[in-house]
Amino acid sequence: MHHSRLAGFIIDCQDTPPDDAAAFWSRALGMNSEGDDGHGYAVLDASARDLHIEVQRVTHPSRVHLDIETDDQPAEVARLERLGARQVAKGARWVVMEAPTGQRFCVINARRPLAGAPGTNVWP
């Protein structure tokens, strides 16, 4: 048995420093920016919504993607593959996947325990 849930959204900004992109998105969404974390991300404070929202500098075209967090990444990736998704790439703590409908998303390791957390699904 494992757990997973929608963690939040990542705003991919092509060739834009995270602080520059966060300056717009923090004002547009009414969330404070915690600034560039030194790893290419700027976290926006979405804690009141129980979501994680980051702005990220990327080299591919700008887009928004969602993250699914899980306490068992291999099990969640396998579950999603059974639903028709496919793996596209693998990072240090995430797996980039593509839905059968073409959208890219990431399966990430949970930042905190998921059992009992709001919005968490339990999978056999």
Side-chain angles (χ1 to χ4, degrees):
M1 173 172 48
H2 75 279
H3 304 87
S4 69
R5 71 178 187 163
L6 173 65
F9 300 91
I10 309 300
I11 303 168
D12 298 335
C13 301
Q14 186 176 23
D15 300 326
T16 305
D19 281 339
D20 293 351
F24 168 79
W25 285 107
S26 66
R27 290 190 307 262
L29 299 175
M31 299 174 186
N32 292 327
S33 173
E34 296 175 11
D36 188 338
D37 69 358
H39 299 286
Y41 296 88
V43 176
L44 302 183
D45 182 6
S47 59
R49 295 159 185 87
D50 194 34
L51 289 173
H52 187 83
I53 299 178
E54 293 178 333
V55 177
Q56 156 177 249
R57 183 180 196 161
V58 297
T59 57
H60 60 70
S62 296
R63 60 182 176 224
V64 174
H65 76 265
L66 60 88
D67 281 355
I68 296 173
E69 67 179 342
T70 182
D71 54 13
D72 188 338
Q73 192 178 69
E76 183 66 1
V77 167
R79 184 184 77 81
L80 294 164
E81 287 176 327
R82 287 190 300 275
L83 296 175
R86 67 178 185 89
Q87 289 187 49
V88 175
K90 188 167 173 107
R93 56 175 228 98
W94 65 87
V95 175
V96 179
M97 301 194 74
E98 186 173 280
T101 51
Q103 291 86 5
R104 299 253 172 123
F105 61 98
C106 292
V107 177
I108 64 169
N109 294 320
R111 292 176 178 88
R112 58 191 177 273
L114 293 181
T120 298
N121 298 295
V122 180
W123 307 105

